[in-house]
Amino acid sequence: MSYDDVEIEDMQWNEELQAYTYPCPCGDLFQITKEDLKLGEEIARCPSCSLYITVIYNAEDFADNKSKNNLDPQKRQAVAVA
């Protein structure tokens, strides 16, 4: 059972860790990366103890929105047709 349920909006983005963090009662931080969230992970773990929290978030906010041909619209190049 998780220690708590925490909204992603209540977590802080940590540039150094490249992860969302939330204070753990042990003094360290619960951590979850954007990659974890993209994969549907909802558990943020503390690296210093056995506690973990459930992160509440909208999975669509972190889903890869790649087009079928894997090109972003800004990266597409025009092709001249004769």
Side-chain angles (χ1 to χ4, degrees):
M1 178 178 219
S2 74
Y3 170 73
D4 201 0
D5 294 345
V6 177
E7 299 270 347
I8 191 78
E9 292 85 7
D10 294 331
M11 300 181 79
Q12 298 291 318
W13 175 252
N14 184 309
E15 272 303 315
E16 184 179 329
L17 297 173
Q18 289 293 298
Y20 286 96
T21 61
Y22 190 79
C24 180
C26 79
D28 205 345
L29 296 169
F30 295 106
Q31 303 172 21
I32 191 165
T33 66
K34 286 182 182 178
E35 277 303 312
D36 291 336
L37 296 168
K38 285 180 185 179
L39 295 172
E41 181 62 60
E42 59 183 25
I43 300 299
R45 302 183 187 284
C46 176
S48 297
C49 72
S50 61
L51 294 178
Y52 61 92
I53 57 173
T54 302
V55 180
I56 300 169
Y57 70 102
N58 183 349
E60 292 176 2
D61 293 343
F62 294 92
D64 284 332
N65 294 326
K66 294 181 179 178
S67 60
K68 291 182 182 176
N69 60 3
N70 291 329
L71 288 176
D72 292 331
Q74 354 13 17
K75 294 180 182 175
R76 292 185 182 160
Q77 296 180 349
V79 177
V81 177

